[in-house]
Amino acid sequence: ATGPWRDAGPDTRAGVAAEILARLNAASFEIAHAVQHTTGQAFVMAFQAGGPHAQDRGLEAVAYAWAEQKRHPGTARWSKPQRKGGPQVLDKKFTPVGRGVSLLIACNTFPTWNGYPGLFASLVTGNPVVVKPHPGAVLPLAITVRIAREVLAEAGFDPNLVILAAEEPGGRSAAVLALHPDVRIIDFTGSTEFGDWLESNARQALVYTEKAGLNTVVLDSTDDYRGLLANLAFSLGLYSGQMCTTPQNLLIPRDGITTDQGPRSADEFAADLGTALDKLLGDPARAAGTLGAIVNDGVRDRLEQAASVGRTVRASASVEHPEYPKAVVRTPLIARLDAEGDREAYTREWFGPMSFVIGTDSTEHSLRILRETVRAHGALTAAVHSTSGLVLDAAELAALDAGVHLSENLTGGVFVNQSAAFSDFHGSAANPAASATLSDPAFVTGRFATLQSRRPAPAEETTDA
């Protein structure tokens, strides 16, 4: 399948990819239901993140892949004057050539949003793609592969440029495929453990990973305490904290922070955050629409373990889903920790609806912890709340040192765990939580090489010249 796809060139490949995306867009509701019932996302999130927002990310990858392949001209005439006789004239041709078979290892929680960038970046740069869905979320990517194959066939290409490699739970096909010598590109979203294994063992491939880390919020001061609490509560509750961007560690001086509602100690802030979550999730229907459901038993087990970490300020509670009474729905747990005594607990990733309010010596101490923990363990997001320009500047420097994207003073309808295609970078190879950014030139340039051929120009043309 690869030869004709390579020969088609970047323009045709990008056009086919755009048609695939257009048809995925038309199937957004079908995909939304598939995402909802495989991931546990509430329907609105499943529609937005699994449909148009995922397609945005796919289109962004198409644009980067097309632009980078077009950066070099397709043909050129080279001429070198000689002391005697006419010049040496060569016609040169430059062809983008894919690196090889691309393996997409998708995640359970956001199969399309996290899967589409790698799928389309590889396809547009000339590589066939093996789509290996998570056993718990096969259907959204099965629909995607079906549509991609239909478009490829209609465009006159072998549909086997995109194939599905599903497996039963507990299978090991991802590890087997990842070491196959023909697999030259791997896109992975999932656990740090398997991501690290891929980076260490799949030596024949270029490996792009998005793993996880210690997403951190530094609290210094605010002039909108209610807005801060509401924004943070929604960030923690959205999809039950099962987003790779959800804050885990909330760093606040033990003596507290200044707010427009008066000073708040670390203990008072933790209690106020619990109250904000109670207000957000008080109505079962609204709670279900925010929380969705727990995606797998691993998250539920971690939630039970977190109940014994530090001092629980707000315990997790069960919520009955009004439409799906058998769904496992849990509210977030908030625990109070100390920066010195509980370091072992908060320097471990706790994926799911659990977050820690961690008392520090000062804001300076909080920023030092941000810098140290993210450097060592990685993070996909960081945030700061402060009314001081000096503190905001110091937080930006800490984020740059740690290699993490930073959000400042979010109190409205934009949340730290959301990012927009064509506007926000997601992930950073500058810290251990990821080896790629969605999307930037580095995400696509390694997927192809520009190969050159050259020959003497026809004599009659050089004579005319």
Side-chain angles (χ1 to χ4, degrees), residues 114-194:
N114 283 108
Y116 284 3
L119 169 63
F120 285 100
S122 283
L123 199 60
V124 174
T125 51
N127 304 284
V129 184
V130 177
V131 178
K132 193 276 169 193
H134 188 282
V138 174
L139 186 55
L141 288 176
I143 295 169
T144 300
V145 169
R146 183 198 74 209
I147 290 172
R149 290 171 62 85
E150 289 171 354
V151 173
L152 286 164
E154 290 178 21
F157 296 101
D158 190 329
N160 289 324
L161 285 162
V162 180
I163 61 174
L164 189 75
E167 66 177 350
E168 296 291 337
R172 294 288 299 165
S173 68
V176 174
L177 289 169
L179 299 183
H180 194 288
D182 288 345
V183 170
R184 304 300 307 281
I185 303 164
I186 298 174
D187 288 282
F188 169 75
T189 302
S191 70
T192 298
E193 181 182 9
F194 191 56

Side-chain angles (χ1 to χ4, degrees), residues 219-444:
L219 298 139
D220 171 75
S221 55
T222 181
D223 55 10
D224 185 5
Y225 189 56
R226 289 182 179 176
L228 181 156
L229 290 171
N231 187 281
L232 262 182
F234 189 78
S235 296
L236 301 184
L238 189 61
Y239 187 30
S240 299
Q242 299 169 123
M243 303 177 69
C244 56
T245 49
T246 301
Q248 173 180 302
N249 295 338
L250 313 179
L251 302 171
I252 180 172
R254 297 182 193 91
D255 295 337
I257 60 175
T258 58
T259 81
D260 57 324
Q261 305 293 315
R264 289 291 190 275
S265 68
D267 288 338
E268 289 171 330
F269 167 75
D272 291 344
L273 183 58
T275 300
L277 278 165
D278 291 339
K279 182 178 179 181
L280 174 68
L281 306 173
D283 176 69
R286 182 179 179 184
T290 301
L291 296 168
I294 299 300
V295 69
N296 57 45
D297 290 340
V299 175
R300 185 162 49 180
D301 292 344
R302 277 192 297 277
L303 189 53
E304 293 176 359
Q305 295 171 23
S308 62
V309 175
R311 174 172 59 85
T312 299
V313 175
R314 184 191 188 280
S316 176
S318 297
V319 175
E320 183 170 337
H321 198 294
E323 295 182 69
Y324 306 103
K326 293 184 179 181
V328 179
V329 183
R330 297 284 189 274
T331 63
L333 175 147
I334 304 295
R336 178 76 169 81
L337 275 62
D338 186 77
E340 301 302 329
D342 299 304
R343 188 174 181 86
E344 184 176 350
Y346 69 78
T347 54
R348 165 191 167 189
E349 182 211 350
W350 297 77
F351 181 77
M354 56 216 88
S355 295
F356 308 124
V357 176
I358 303 166
T360 67
D361 297 339
S362 62
T363 296
E364 182 180 3
H365 186 205
S366 297
L367 292 173
R368 188 163 68 249
I369 292 173
L370 165 67
R371 185 183 281 107
E372 292 172 354
T373 57
V374 174
R375 274 179 173 175
H377 304 284
L380 290 173
T381 61
V384 60
H385 285 271
S386 180
T387 58
S388 166
L390 293 177
V391 171
L392 294 178
D393 290 344
E396 287 188 10
L397 288 175
L400 292 175
D401 288 342
V404 65
H405 307 302
L406 180 69
S407 297
E408 303 175 12
N409 291 333
L410 297 183
T411 57
V414 176
F415 305 94
V416 68
N417 41 353
Q418 296 174 315
S419 65
F422 299 103
S423 181
D424 294 319
F425 284 137
H426 175 77
S428 165
N431 76 68
S435 66
T437 296
L438 306 180
S439 288
D440 65 358
F443 187 65
V444 300

